[in-house]
Amino acid sequence: QQPVQSPQAVILREGEDAVINCSSSKALYSVHWYRQKHGEAPVFLMILLKGGEQKGHEKISASFNEKKQQSSLYLTASQLSYSGTYFCGTVGEYGNKLVFGAGTILRVKS
Amino acid sequence: EAQVTQNPRYLITVTGKKLTVTCSQNMNHEYMSWYRQDPGLGLRQIYYSMNVEVTDKGDVPEGYKVSRKEKRNFPLILESPSPNQTSLYFCASSFSGSSYEQYFGPGTRLTVT
């Protein structure tokens, strides 16, 4: 089942902060975050694993609430380069499928 | 350079004409998968492969076939393409399984008329 992302779109000015949320109805083993710029392939940002382990870029922060099956991606002091579509992906506790949400469009204006 | 390659990058074809989209990775990854991307729907997994000769259906496998005869290659086959398979297709690979960083190929834009 596809995770639900919110908001669907957000517009920021440079330097502002944003939070993107991802929610699933099933028990999760891991949550992924990727960013895709127009016309390009998705690029890995972070993985959060059940139990607290995180793998990803130092400048990106995210949280994973295992009890609520929710994750949030925190973008602080946004830059123009942060613009793109952000996807969360989830892997269930007992599966090998990676299921992506519909995406959140982020636009940073100068 | 570590990468996932896909060919062709762009393809326009007609209904019913069999086609294959190739995917190859040079990172010795065990896990490979195919996704299609449609506006407003995000990335939907078509098939995935845990290793050579091991494949399984994703969420939207109808109308597609795959094979994994070699570790580096994971071709996507459309035996009788239809217009509803017009989409942007991405191949991805990871070290081992779906809970590792996915490396995506550049994408293949397919149009079926």
Side-chain angles (χ1 to χ4, degrees), chain B residues 51-98:
Chain B
N51 213 325
V52 176
E53 302 291 2
V54 181
T55 63
D56 207 348
K57 296 177 180 179
D59 289 325
V60 288
E62 295 78 21
Y64 304 95
K65 284 178 59 177
V66 293
S67 67
R68 187 94 180 271
K69 292 183 170 54
E70 303 168 284
K71 198 171 186 179
R72 64 183 294 126
N73 296 323
F74 190 44
L76 179 70
I77 303 160
L78 285 73
E79 296 217 327
S80 184
S82 62
N84 65 13
Q85 292 178 298
T86 292
S87 188
L88 178 59
Y89 291 86
F90 287 102
C91 178
S93 73
S94 73
F95 172 67
S96 177
S98 52

Side-chain angles (χ1 to χ4, degrees), chain A residues 25-79:
Chain A
S25 60
K26 63 180 183 182
L28 300 176
Y29 175 72
S30 66
V31 179
H32 297 226
W33 287 98
Y34 291 79
R35 177 171 60 213
Q36 184 180 32
K37 294 189 177 288
H38 184 69
E40 299 180 6
V43 173
F44 170 77
L45 295 176
M46 175 166 283
I47 289 178
L48 303 102
L49 301 173
K50 184 179 179 180
E53 185 178 357
Q54 296 185 7
K55 306 174 189 177
H57 297 281
E58 292 178 358
K59 294 186 177 180
I60 300 287
S61 65
S63 64
F64 178 20
N65 185 323
E66 297 171 26
K67 290 183 179 178
K68 293 185 177 180
Q69 293 93 52
Q70 293 174 348
S71 178
S72 295
L73 183 70
Y74 304 98
L75 302 166
T76 57
S78 59
Q79 305 170 16

